[in-house]
Amino acid sequence: MKAINLLATTALIALVSLPVHAQTSPKGVWLGRDDGAAQTPPMGWNSWNAFRTEVDEDKVMGAARALVDDGLAKKGYTYVNLDDGWWLKRRQPDGRMIVRTRIFPSAATKDGATSFRPFTDRLHAMGLKAGIYTDIGRNACSQAYNLDSPNLPEGTAQERQVGLDGHEAQDINLYFKDWGFDYIKVDACGLADYAPGSKRVIDNGYIGLEPEIDRSSLNRTDDARVEARYQKVATALKAANPDGDYVFSICDWGMADVRRWGKDVGSSWRTSSDITPNWSSMLHNYDSAAGRALYAGPGHWNDPDILYIGAGDFDADHLTEARSHFSLWAMLDAPLLISYDLRKAPQALLDIWGNADLIAVDQDKAGNQATIAYDSEDAQILVKTMSDGHKVAALFNRTASPQTVTLMASHLKLRSDAPITLTDLWSKAQSAFTGETTFTLAPHETRVFSAQGPRELANGLYLSEMPGAINVADDGVRNPELDPAIHRMIDPWGGSRSGGSRPMYAGWGGAQADATPYGETLQIDGQSFTNGLGVLGNSLLQVKNDKGFTSFHATVGIDDSTRNRDRPVTFFVYADGKQVAKSPALRFGDRPFELNADISGARVIELQAVNDSERNEIPVVVTWGAARLERP
Ligand code: GAL
């Protein structure tokens, strides 16, 4: 009895005195998803931008042959991905998906069941991999937006339900086990565009599905249901691919707060709506991923969409723009999926896709997406830390006029009193500077340099230099907010037939490298930090310590930019689940507090910031200033 009482009392004390949110409590183990085949961003070809639904076997095999013959496959472009248009129907009553053999003749079988196996066998025999496309709902995007396509699903309403809803395991098993695909892109129009009773549903005789994604309202989008649906697919994929050799590409266009959960569910997740071949659209899609470095890493990547190099503003007459598009995608660790009719590609474009130095930037195994070292609407400097420690900097002119940009050693976190050598990854020209160097960028130009020099931090790494080794287990965002920092293009479909362009991407307040969650300079009680992590209170960041660092250091406090100045915040550091440092409860305006911890031998370091808060209260902005791992 006594013992039970004691236990109960201890439990009660623990409950009352532990300032730990269930959500943010330290886990002691790495929770980041790093299984699947996408240890580096997937590379290859996709049919959509080149052919829309008018895809066919000749066109796809032509692309596959060109990938091999032009040497692109050898450089890493191995996935050959079908997009919308391949399907004929879902056979009734067994629900088997049937291929449209008019455009994929090799899929014909005597019994009419059809099989993509001969097609994937041919790709595999060429040393390539095969990707297929589906939808998370019942109906697909083309059934809403390409109604004049010759390749829409046919038959009864049930036969035209080609999406995964209710058939997750059946379809995944068919596509991966029977047909031998290696990659799947799962779109989401089925959850957005088929409201029961809507004109589209009635006119086309579809069976409606109550929308779970509202393309124009965050509050009317059911994040949890969308996440659960994609999680169901992830589970089916794992079961169908015990060898882990699969890629799961989530395509819900940055909706449903996928920023938060995409990394735990898929290999990549689209961060925005579809890219179109114009500069403004490229800016929009780039922005949607550029502030999200901490959410990407080996096995899980931000996806600003397939490449549009070869068309419109990025065609062979606009090589500056085409190179910028490619450079930026490489800096973002984005999937590199060519979407062009490769049977007739000009050499100038092949040279862009084939730039081995830029490919190596994208494919570096540390998976550190570039972070923004200098930010403005005119020009930006992106810096990426490669696995061997050297830096790659991209100087990006967003505008149509020339811009003067000064690259500083501090942008690179390299010492300003020693020479730094630069190699231009497009021209291959070499140069050197000490302290700073200035360039004039042509309109829309991006210069990319590999940079070598002594590091500011000789025996360690700032956490903002290693985003690929960080898992944002909980970013503290309780009420998702729209990201206002994204270039607002004129909607390519609606044009200006609305009150304005309002992207529905809930990214605001997410954890950031070298900036607050709202893009401000990190600053505590008047002391600013060029290095550090910015995050909200009630958050948990995990850091993978696979390089054997022995100590952790940071200068922490409530950020001067916080709108909520009322709540004290306590900072904790854990090494493999054991508390190794703790701050006092720090208030707004308190001096920054030094946290130093011995983390010898620990694999997972966890950074937790905890404060009381009411539901719907404005979050507190906290700063892990100069957060770093070191060794003696
Ligand atoms: C869109 C998707 C595109 C393409 C298209 C096919 O929703 O974002 O990448 O797959 O559907 O209809």
Side-chain angles (χ1 to χ4, degrees):
M1 183 69 197
K2 229 179 176 176
I4 291 171
N5 259 339
L6 193 67
L7 259 180
T9 321
T10 325
L12 195 68
I13 291 172
L15 268 180
V16 175
S17 62
L18 265 187
V20 169
H21 271 235
Q23 265 165 309
T24 68
S25 58
K27 309 297 188 287
V29 287
W30 178 252
L31 292 180
R33 177 188 185 281
D34 44 20
D35 50 350
Q39 289 308 303
T40 59
M43 290 174 67
W45 182 87
N46 170 291
S47 57
W48 183 249
N49 287 348
F51 301 118
R52 303 283 140 170
T53 56
E54 265 135 276
V55 57
D56 66 36
E57 194 157 351
D58 278 349
K59 291 170 177 166
V60 181
M61 290 315 293
R65 265 189 303 276
L67 285 178
V68 174
D69 294 348
D70 294 332
L72 292 168
K74 230 185 232 138
K75 290 181 169 171
Y77 292 93
T78 50
Y79 288 97
V80 175
N81 297 342
L82 302 178
D83 210 280
D84 207 339
W86 64 264
W87 33 38
L88 182 66
K89 64 177 174 195
R90 184 180 292 286
R91 188 171 72 183
Q92 302 297 323
D94 68 346
R96 178 184 173 95
M97 283 297 299
I98 305 294
V99 181
R100 186 183 303 274
T101 52
R102 185 173 49 72
I103 54 176
F104 288 97
S106 77
T109 57
K110 285 209 182 77
D111 61 1
T114 73
S115 169
F116 261 134
R117 184 54 94 160
F119 171 77
T120 64
D121 278 351
R122 264 196 293 160
L123 291 174
H124 289 144
M126 296 166 77
L128 300 168
K129 297 196 164 198
I132 194 162
Y133 169 91
T134 185
D135 196 281
I136 192 77
R138 294 178 189 158
N139 291 98
C141 294
S142 55
Q143 293 174 297
Y145 298 110
N146 301 80
L147 291 175
D148 49 5
S149 163
N151 294 329
L152 291 180
E154 293 173 8
T156 63
Q158 278 85 0
E159 284 172 325
R160 285 181 288 139
Q161 292 195 330
V162 292
L164 289 175
D165 178 70
H167 298 273
E168 290 84 354
Q170 178 185 18
D171 288 2
I172 295 299
N173 284 337
L174 178 68
Y175 300 161
F176 284 80
K177 285 178 151 168
D178 294 0
W179 290 354
F181 281 98
D182 311 285
Y183 179 116
I184 192 162
K185 169 174 168 181
V186 183
D187 216 323
C189 292
L191 296 188
D193 302 321
Y194 296 92
S198 63
K199 184 168 176 351
R200 173 180 295 126
V201 164
I202 291 168
D203 287 358
N204 296 289
Y206 296 136
I207 301 165
L209 183 65
E210 202 55 61
E212 292 167 20
I213 294 177
D214 184 327
R215 291 182 184 268
S216 53
S217 168
L218 210 56
N219 283 339
R220 286 169 46 82
T221 293
D222 192 338
D223 304 351
R225 288 207 54 170
V226 178
E227 178 183 355
R229 283 178 179 272
Y230 277 97
Q231 183 56 57
K232 199 167 181 186
V233 179
T235 306
L237 279 165
K238 235 179 226 175
N241 295 278
D243 62 351
D245 189 13
Y246 65 97
V247 174
F248 179 19
S249 157
I250 297 172
C251 179
D252 77 345
W253 337 285
M255 307 268 172
D257 202 18
V258 68
R259 184 237 31 220
R260 173 181 59 75
W261 53 267
K263 67 186 175 63
D264 303 324
V265 177
S267 315
S268 67
W269 54 96
R270 282 274 299 279
T271 52
S272 66
S273 57
D274 294 11
I275 192 164
T276 61
N278 62 71
W279 184 255
S280 190
S281 163
M282 194 280 291
L283 282 183
H284 173 96
N285 284 33
Y286 155 81
D287 282 346
S288 70
R292 312 272 179 88
L294 293 176
Y295 295 82
H300 53 281
W301 309 101
N302 285 307
D303 176 8
D305 205 357
I306 48 185
L307 297 164
Y308 230 136
I309 290 167
D313 287 355
F314 311 103
D315 68 10
D317 295 327
H318 297 85
L319 293 176
T320 301
E321 284 78 5
R323 282 191 208 106
S324 278
H325 181 7
F326 193 71
S327 301
L328 295 169
W329 262 233
M331 293 300 287
L332 294 178
D333 287 5
L336 297 179
L337 296 167
I338 299 168
S339 196
Y340 184 82
D341 186 351
L342 283 179
R343 297 171 302 181
K344 43 174 196 209
Q347 190 58 42
L349 297 181
L350 291 170
D351 290 345
I352 293 179
W353 297 309
N355 183 324
D357 289 331
L358 264 300
I359 293 172
V361 170
D362 181 79
Q363 295 291 302
D364 182 70
K365 67 176 197 297
N368 294 321
Q369 176 179 326
T371 59
I372 301 172
Y374 170 78
D375 200 13
S376 77
E377 310 235 329
D378 295 338
Q380 288 170 308
I381 300 176
L382 300 177
V383 175
K384 175 176 160 94
T385 306
M386 301 288 280
S387 47
D388 68 358
H390 89 266
K391 300 286 183 173
V392 178
L395 281 50
F396 170 34
N397 180 1
R398 300 169 63 99
T399 75
S401 10
Q403 296 292 341
T404 302
V405 174
T406 299
L407 174 68
M408 301 175 67
S410 59
H411 289 137
L412 299 163
K413 307 192 197 302
L414 298 180
R415 274 170 52 180
S416 58
D417 58 353
I420 294 169
T421 56
L422 295 180
T423 307
D424 185 316
L425 297 187
W426 286 107
S427 75
K428 318 298 175 192
Q430 300 221 337
S431 59
F433 74 100
T434 301
E436 60 176 57
T437 178
T438 296
F439 299 89
T440 299
L441 304 179
H444 295 167
E445 187 183 26
T446 304
R447 309 259 326 245
V448 190
F449 300 99
S450 126
Q452 307 264 8
R455 300 170 44 75
E456 260 173 26
L457 206 59
N459 296 319
L461 273 178
Y462 290 111
L463 298 190
S464 56
E465 293 182 284
M466 47 187 290
I470 291 178
N471 175 41
V472 182
D474 183 350
D475 57 20
V477 175
R478 298 291 177 265
N479 295 297
E481 288 181 76
L482 294 181
D483 190 339
I486 290 169
H487 178 78
R488 295 176 174 216
M489 60 176 168
I490 297 179
D491 184 300
W493 293 275
S496 60
R497 289 179 211 91
S498 71
S501 159
R502 283 156 192 145
M504 288 291 133
Y505 318 142
W508 210 219
Q512 294 255 19
D514 297 335
T516 74
Y518 304 114
E520 306 289 327
T521 301
L522 299 172
Q523 182 174 304
I524 307 167
D525 189 35
Q527 181 182 338
S528 63
F529 298 87
T530 35
N531 305 303
L533 299 183
V535 67
L536 299 179
N538 292 326
S539 56
L540 182 73
L541 303 175
Q542 298 194 311
V543 185
K544 204 186 239 180
N545 181 27
D546 53 10
K547 293 210 169 64
F549 289 108
T550 53
S551 63
F552 169 85
H553 311 270
T555 307
V556 300
I558 294 184
D559 195 89
D560 286 351
S561 69
T562 193
R563 283 194 294 146
N564 184 339
R565 292 184 270 171
D566 299 331
R567 297 289 189 183
V569 176
T570 309
F571 295 76
F572 298 83
V573 180
Y574 301 86
D576 286 347
K578 195 174 127 242
Q579 186 182 304
V580 286
K582 177 187 174 189
S583 77
L586 297 171
R587 298 187 160 274
F588 174 78
D590 280 355
R591 297 252 310 276
F593 185 85
E594 300 285 338
L595 279 177
N596 299 297
D598 180 356
I599 56 157
S600 315
R603 307 281 300 173
V604 181
I605 314 307
E606 288 174 291
L607 312 181
Q608 182 196 28
V610 181
N611 59 271
D612 289 336
S613 89
E614 304 282 333
R615 201 175 134 75
N616 292 332
E617 185 172 324
I618 296 171
V620 185
V621 176
V622 305
T623 285
W624 295 84
R628 60 199 185 274
L629 301 182
E630 291 189 356
R631 60 171 71 88

